[in-house]
Amino acid sequence: MDTEHKIKIHPSWLKVLEDEFRKPYMAELREFLRLEKQAGKRIYPPGPQIFNAFNSTPFDRVKVVILGQDPYHGVGQAHGLCFSVMPGVRIPPSLQNIYKELHSDLGIAPARHGCLQPWAEQGVLLLNATLTVEDSRAGAHQGRGWEQFTDTAIGALAEQREGLVFILWGSYAQKKGAVIDRSRHLVLSAPHPSPLSANRGFFGTRPFSSANDWLLQHGQQAIEWALPEAAALRRVAVEV
């Protein structure tokens, strides 16, 4: 099978994940998604953006990994990056809390939009454990195979790269990050930024400055966490 021409994912990630596309679970996942769409169900994000995290942040350019769980399940929200929404979409509560911590940590005023694409393009892999979801049904595509796929991606980063920063917010992300070798990478764990848990220890953890300190100590360029105004953002059209 000519995987490179069938799957539009960045070549650096295709090298790492090509075998996964050939496994039975992935064929079953593709069939599940096909049948869901055939049944008239709305699936997010749009097909061309399912692999946006991988296409925006090539394997060899990853510096920081932020793990999410599910794409947003509202109309027009998900675009393939965890915690992120396109300009013009209301900023979700968890991201509002992330912006509050960013302001407390680095003095960066909260952006007036929720698009984190500039972070992704600097080397912040914004990866959800599950890459698709059904409209208005959070978690609808969990247990269908995406978790195995993203586990493989995380494991490859942990094994093949050195000196990365993994930001694990909430117990789900922390369990998923159990494979990470703490002697080779910086792992920052905290409660999830959701309003349900943010006050239990998320605020005050200073993940953004901690990540940048680590990167600078390891000879890498720091992340510019300040986001440009929405008008300055280019709309991403990543094809799969």
Side-chain angles (χ1 to χ4, degrees), residues 132-186:
T132 58
V133 72
E134 183 183 340
D135 177 59
S136 302
R137 290 191 61 213
H141 292 182
Q142 290 178 8
R144 293 288 180 172
W146 281 129
E147 294 92 343
Q148 183 173 339
F149 182 78
T150 52
D151 278 347
T152 301
I154 294 164
L157 287 168
E159 293 168 13
Q160 298 178 34
R161 297 289 311 280
E162 297 285 342
L164 302 183
V165 181
F166 290 84
I167 298 177
L168 308 179
W169 289 325
S171 59
Y172 184 91
Q174 288 156 24
K175 288 174 186 172
K176 197 168 179 70
V179 299
I180 302 163
D181 184 347
R182 269 69 170 171
S183 69
R184 295 169 59 186
H185 306 286
L186 175 65

Side-chain angles (χ1 to χ4, degrees), residues 104-119:
S104 173
D105 186 1
L106 291 174
I108 295 172
R112 290 183 287 185
H113 62 83
C115 184
L116 306 182
Q117 186 70 36
W119 292 0

Side-chain angles (χ1 to χ4, degrees), residues 5-231:
H5 290 90
K6 291 179 181 292
I7 306 296
K8 296 298 175 69
I9 190 169
H10 194 275
S12 65
W13 277 108
L14 186 61
K15 272 193 213 173
V16 174
L17 299 171
E18 186 169 10
D19 287 347
E20 298 303 301
F21 288 108
R22 294 192 174 102
K23 291 180 179 178
Y25 84 86
M26 186 57 75
E28 293 169 6
L29 175 57
R30 280 195 291 262
E31 180 64 4
F32 165 72
L33 292 173
R34 185 186 72 79
L35 291 174
E36 291 290 279
K37 290 177 184 176
Q38 185 177 297
K41 296 180 180 179
R42 286 192 293 183
I43 306 300
Y44 305 133
Q49 295 176 337
I50 290 173
F51 295 111
N52 191 12
F54 298 102
N55 288 321
S56 298
T57 315
F59 182 81
D60 52 355
R61 290 191 57 220
V62 175
K63 298 178 180 179
V64 178
V65 181
I66 298 178
L67 291 181
Q69 186 166 349
D70 242 16
Y72 294 122
H73 56 268
V75 177
Q77 289 184 303
H79 68 113
L81 304 178
C82 71
F83 295 107
S84 179
V85 293
M86 290 304 295
V89 178
R90 184 175 176 273
I91 301 172
S94 291
L95 183 53
Q96 291 180 30
N97 284 336
I98 291 170
Y99 284 171
K100 287 178 185 176
E101 178 59 19
L102 178 59
H103 183 248
S104 173
D105 186 1
L106 291 174
I108 295 172
R112 290 183 287 185
H113 62 83
C115 184
L116 306 182
Q117 186 70 36
W119 292 0
E121 293 175 359
Q122 292 181 74
V124 182
L125 182 68
L126 296 164
L127 183 63
N128 277 314
T130 303
L131 299 188
T132 58
V133 72
E134 183 183 340
D135 177 59
S136 302
R137 290 191 61 213
H141 292 182
Q142 290 178 8
R144 293 288 180 172
W146 281 129
E147 294 92 343
Q148 183 173 339
F149 182 78
T150 52
D151 278 347
T152 301
I154 294 164
L157 287 168
E159 293 168 13
Q160 298 178 34
R161 297 289 311 280
E162 297 285 342
L164 302 183
V165 181
F166 290 84
I167 298 177
L168 308 179
W169 289 325
S171 59
Y172 184 91
Q174 288 156 24
K175 288 174 186 172
K176 197 168 179 70
V179 299
I180 302 163
D181 184 347
R182 269 69 170 171
S183 69
R184 295 169 59 186
H185 306 286
L186 175 65
V187 177
L188 302 173
S189 299
H192 195 277
S194 161
L196 298 174
S197 55
N199 288 318
R200 299 177 193 159
F202 170 76
F203 294 118
T205 52
R206 307 195 68 190
F208 306 101
S209 61
S210 297
N212 277 353
D213 288 347
W214 171 272
L215 292 173
L216 292 170
Q217 289 165 15
H218 288 77
Q220 298 193 70
Q221 188 173 355
I223 302 297
E224 176 51 74
W225 295 105
L227 292 162
E229 291 297 319

